[in-house]
Amino acid sequence: MKAPEADAKPHAGRYRIEALAKGLEVLKLFDETTTSLKLRDICDRTGIPMPTAFRIAATLEESGYLERLTDGAFRPAIAVLTLGSAALRGSSLVQISEQPLRHLSETTGETVNLGVLRGHEVLYLVRLRNTDLVTANVQVGSTLPAPYTSMGKLLLAYLPADELHAILDRYEFRRDAGPNAANDLDDLLARLDRIRQQGFALQDEEVAPGLRSVSVPVFARGEQPVAAVNIAASTTRHSIDDLRGAILAHLQHTADDISARLRAG
């Protein structure tokens, strides 16, 4: 049997393994807000018939990717976490950024983050946390709403207008966000305009009470950022003026360093 040529472009779905695709579809149901699902929930959300969903869940459980709770629901197991950690550790962006970010964390004594935009959320790829930060539940692999975070707002601000509106036109603004969060699309767009003009983003109790941050872009070879870095601090430690001053200068120096390393890589 002749093997497919390396440079051939296979038709969409030509080599698709349907059972594997359905298993991955089930795993993708779990996120920050959906930590466990019962079999009926899996069927309802995927359209997979109950007998097939049962076999998929049983196979994933046997392989260590799902675990069954006492009420019969399933949640991601250790094998999923291992895959996610390996992917993040293997990212060239993470590898290149790690040393400059550690130096920034040691220099400022504050929490340092690296994130990328995923739709209307920001995904945390690196998090070096100090001991007194408010948001202890955020970790590598976590996502937060982009419209309320400094990294998310920064990355949204650099998007082309059509892409920005495609992401935000139907965005549902949360009532449980911080006290200074944008309340609607017009409010957010005005904030993004200011961020675009100044080249950095501030977050002042928009994610949660007691938390501030400042973010700047990281570039590779294009004019659109590939990521953002920020410094997050409690409101008791730093004022907004602090974040605009020496902290911003340290942050910009680090982002420039990472950008230069990415361009050279």
Side-chain angles (χ1 to χ4, degrees), residues 28 34 43 80 108 111 137 144 155 179 181 192-193 230 241 262:
K28 287 165 65 176
T34 305
C43 295
V80 173
T108 62
T111 295
N137 58 325
L144 287 178
L155 294 170
L192 297 184
D193 283 340
N230 85 351
D241 288 340
L262 287 172

Side-chain angles (χ1 to χ4, degrees), residues 151-192:
M151 292 195 296
K153 290 189 300 177
L154 181 94
L155 294 170
L156 287 172
Y158 277 86
L159 289 179
D162 57 344
E163 190 174 346
L164 177 64
H165 283 279
I167 291 173
L168 294 178
D169 277 349
R170 295 185 179 180
Y171 185 76
E172 295 183 5
F173 287 81
R174 289 172 26 182
R175 295 181 180 178
D176 61 344
N180 297 328
N183 296 313
D184 54 41
L185 183 57
D186 288 341
D187 185 1
L188 177 61
L189 291 177
R191 300 183 191 204
L192 297 184

Side-chain angles (χ1 to χ4, degrees), residues 64-216:
Y65 293 97
L66 290 181
E67 64 180 356
R68 197 188 307 251
L69 304 178
T70 54
D71 64 355
F74 292 93
R75 71 180 178 190
I78 295 298
V80 173
L81 300 178
T82 302
L83 284 177
S85 297
L88 291 175
R89 287 196 304 271
S91 164
S92 60
L93 173 60
V94 171
Q95 291 177 346
I96 287 172
S97 303
E98 186 172 3
Q99 191 276 332
L101 293 177
R102 288 198 178 280
H103 179 70
L104 177 64
S105 177
E106 292 165 1
T107 300
T108 62
E110 301 298 343
T111 295
V112 172
N113 300 293
L114 171 79
V116 295
L117 195 64
R118 290 292 180 267
H120 55 72
E121 295 181 320
V122 59
L123 171 66
Y124 284 70
L125 298 183
V126 176
R127 182 166 174 82
L128 305 173
R129 182 178 174 272
N130 75 356
T131 57
D132 72 345
L133 196 66
V134 178
T135 53
N137 58 325
V138 178
Q139 54 194 316
V140 170
S142 291
T143 57
L144 287 178
Y148 307 135
T149 64
S150 62
M151 292 195 296
K153 290 189 300 177
L154 181 94
L155 294 170
L156 287 172
Y158 277 86
L159 289 179
D162 57 344
E163 190 174 346
L164 177 64
H165 283 279
I167 291 173
L168 294 178
D169 277 349
R170 295 185 179 180
Y171 185 76
E172 295 183 5
F173 287 81
R174 289 172 26 182
R175 295 181 180 178
D176 61 344
N180 297 328
N183 296 313
D184 54 41
L185 183 57
D186 288 341
D187 185 1
L188 177 61
L189 291 177
R191 300 183 191 204
L192 297 184
D193 283 340
R194 290 194 296 272
I195 291 167
R196 197 176 301 113
Q197 293 168 14
Q198 65 191 15
F200 65 91
L202 292 165
Q203 180 278 124
D204 183 18
E205 297 189 280
E206 296 167 52
V207 175
L211 179 66
R212 292 186 174 121
S213 63
V214 58
S215 179
V216 297

